[in-house]
Amino acid sequence: MSILRICLYCVVSLLLTVGMALASQTPEQLFSETLLPVLERDCQGCHGGTQALSKLDLRTRESLLAGGARGPAIAPGKSESSLLVHAIEGRNKLQMPPGGESKKLSPELIAAFRIWIDAGAPWPSKNVARKWDYKPEDLW
């Protein structure tokens, strides 16, 4: 077996494993637990608040849909045509986050963004109750 074929097999296996792990979450959980922290930590410093480079604000679903200077950042249900995916994959002269390969998002995170967008890009309200596993002795 050639090295290329072995590498391709490894990549496919990794993506299938990641896909199964991510598929166990609802799109809302995937966003809240995995993607929102990435947006807040890695993206909103330049694309949110008082600074919105390229006129792109990534703080709300509505602002992602409105997009920036290049157009809407996401197309719900269509990750392949979403500029956000192009940017995090480094396609079409877009490269986010900036800083080269060392700053690039992991293949797992990129796959998670694709799954979330393909699921319609749900953005749960911050007021949504989180799951709480309580014991009877926790109650009054």
Side-chain angles (χ1 to χ4, degrees):
M1 213 180 233
S2 74
I3 292 290
L4 180 60
R5 188 174 286 170
I6 291 170
C7 290
L8 182 58
Y9 174 77
C10 292
V11 169
V12 169
S13 296
L14 173 67
L15 290 176
L16 287 174
T17 302
V18 168
M20 290 187 320
L22 295 174
S24 67
Q25 295 180 304
T26 66
E28 292 82 3
Q29 289 172 318
L30 178 64
F31 177 77
S32 296
E33 296 171 14
T34 304
L35 303 179
L36 183 57
V38 171
L39 289 172
E40 291 172 342
R41 180 188 69 233
D42 297 336
C43 306
Q44 291 176 359
C46 294
H47 298 287
T50 56
Q51 184 168 332
L53 298 180
S54 296
K55 299 180 182 178
L56 178 60
D57 184 346
L58 300 178
R59 292 178 298 160
T60 67
R61 183 178 193 275
E62 292 73 26
S63 62
L64 279 165
L65 292 170
R70 292 183 173 104
I74 59 171
K78 301 175 185 174
S79 66
E80 187 58 37
S81 60
S82 293
L83 288 176
L84 178 65
V85 172
H86 294 192
I88 62 177
E89 289 181 344
R91 292 194 285 148
N92 301 331
K93 298 183 181 180
L94 297 172
Q95 178 68 43
M96 287 293 139
E101 288 297 314
S102 66
K103 298 289 185 176
K104 189 172 181 177
L105 297 182
S106 69
E108 297 85 4
L109 279 175
I110 293 172
F113 272 102
R114 283 182 161 279
I115 290 168
W116 172 69
I117 292 169
D118 287 336
W123 192 297
S125 165
K126 288 189 178 193
N127 297 328
V128 173
R130 294 184 185 250
K131 183 181 178 190
W132 177 42
D133 292 324
Y134 65 91
K135 301 178 284 286
E137 58 268 20
D138 291 336
L139 300 176
W140 291 15

